[in-house]
Amino acid sequence: MGIGDDDACNTGLVLGLGLSSPSKPDHNQTPRKIPLFLKLESTSFGDEPSLTLGLSAGGAATHKVDVKAAVGGDLYRQGSSLSAVYSFSSGKVKREREVSSEVEKNNNSSRISDEDEEGVNGRKKLRLSKKQSALLEESFKQHSTLSPKQKQALARQLNLKPRQVEVWFQNRRARTKLKQTEVDCELLKKCCETLRDENRRLQKEIQELKALKLAQPFYMHMQGATLTVCPSCETSRGVGDANNPYSMASKPRHFYNNNPFSNPSAAC
DNA sequence: CCCACTAGTCGGATTACATCA
DNA sequence: GGTGATGTAATCCGACTAGTG
C-alpha cells in the first residue's frame, strides 16, 4: 500500500557530526577526525525518539541517549556512568598507590616547587591560580594546540612544567568538544521534534485523503480523468515552511478532475 | 623506494583530588 | 563534620605521524 504503512513512521535518520576542531592547529599535526555519528531513531509513530551516539569506525562503543531523559542532561556524567563498558581496560590500569599520610597542603604555593615530589607518592592536585588559568585560556583562544616551542614558552611564563601545560590543553580541548557535542545534541533533539510534528501532520493528511477518497469514489475512478493541481494550492506551494528544510509541503494540495462538476475553489 | 624503529603528540577513558552545597 | 555532586589535573592507553637508519 505505501503511504499508509507504518514504515512511513519508521524514521531512521543518521546525521554525521564533523567534530573536527574548528580552529585547526597550525603546526604539523595532521588533522585526525574521529568519526562520530548520531543516529536518530523513532521506532513508531508517537514514540519517544532516541539518539544513539557512537563511533562509526572501530565500533568500540555506542551510547544510547534517551532524548527525553538526557536533555538537562549531563552527557559527561552519562559517559561516566557507562564506565562499565570500558572498564575492561581500567582494571589492569589500576595501580596500588601508597597513600602518603603526608599532611600539609601546600596552598597553591607548591606549584612545581619541588620537582622530585611528583611520581614518588600519590599525585597531588595542583590548583592553577586565576592568573595562570586566564593566561592559559587566552592562549587557548589563539590556538587550541601548542607547538613544542609555544608550550615551552608558556610553561616558562606560567612557571609550570611543559607537561602540565600540555595536559591542560588536552583537557581543555576535551571539554570544548564535550560542550560542542552537547550543543549538537540539543540541535538534533529540536530537529527530531520538528520531524515528529511533520510526521503527525502528514499522517493526518493521509487520513483526510483516505476519507476523501471513500467519500468520492466516483470522481476518482472516472475513466480518462486526469488529476490536476488546484491553482490556488499550486501557487501556495513552497511559500509556507521556508525555514523548515524537512517540510515536504506547506499544506495539502487538492486535486480535482477535469469535469464540469468539480469546482477547484469549492474543493479548497 | 620500502621497511622497521623511535619519539612525540593526540584523543578518549578513567582516576583521584579539591571544592562546594 | 560527613556526604554527594561537580570540576578538573593527571594518568593510562592506543593510534597516528614524522624522522631516521
Side-chain angles (χ1 to χ4, degrees), chain A residues 244-261:
Chain A
N244 180 6
Y246 308 102
S247 175
M248 304 292 283
S250 59
K251 70 178 221 179
R253 271 177 281 156
H254 299 113
F255 298 92
Y256 62 93
N257 298 310
N258 287 337
N259 67 68
F261 302 108

Side-chain angles (χ1 to χ4, degrees), chain A residues 38-40 44 80 98 115 124 147 175 191 194 209 220 223 231 243 247:
Chain A
L38 271 159
K39 191 175 178 185
L40 192 61
S44 64
S80 286
E98 299 245 311
E115 299 263 319
K124 274 212 146 178
S147 68
R175 285 195 292 274
C191 169
T194 307
L209 287 172
M220 298 300 286
Q223 196 178 9
N243 52 0
S247 175

Side-chain angles (χ1 to χ4, degrees), chain A residues 59-129:
Chain A
T62 56
H63 295 173
K64 196 145 196 172
V65 179
D66 177 31
V67 172
K68 195 166 71 175
V71 186
D74 198 335
L75 285 177
Y76 179 73
R77 288 293 155 196
Q78 173 121 8
S80 286
S81 70
L82 289 163
S83 61
V85 178
Y86 304 103
S87 62
F88 66 89
S89 66
S90 65
K92 63 180 175 184
V93 167
K94 207 158 200 164
R95 296 152 303 159
E96 294 297 347
R97 226 186 280 271
E98 299 245 311
V99 181
S100 79
S101 53
E102 167 226 356
V103 228
E104 278 322 321
K105 301 175 181 177
N106 295 351
N107 271 5
N108 274 354
S109 58
S110 74
R111 285 311 117 212
I112 33 149
S113 50
D114 26 16
E115 299 263 319
D116 48 354
E117 188 178 6
E118 177 197 67
V120 178
N121 283 327
R123 49 174 131 154
K124 274 212 146 178
K125 182 86 174 183
L126 159 77
R127 212 65 202 181
L128 296 172
S129 69

Side-chain angles (χ1 to χ4, degrees), chain A residues 140-165:
Chain A
F140 185 82
K141 272 180 197 165
Q142 287 167 18
H143 11 246
S144 58
T145 53
L146 290 175
S147 68
K149 269 189 178 179
Q150 289 172 318
K151 193 203 299 176
Q152 289 284 350
L154 201 54
R156 261 201 306 276
Q157 197 177 350
L158 294 165
N159 195 25
L160 292 170
K161 292 178 195 167
R163 172 66 184 154
Q164 288 176 303
V165 174

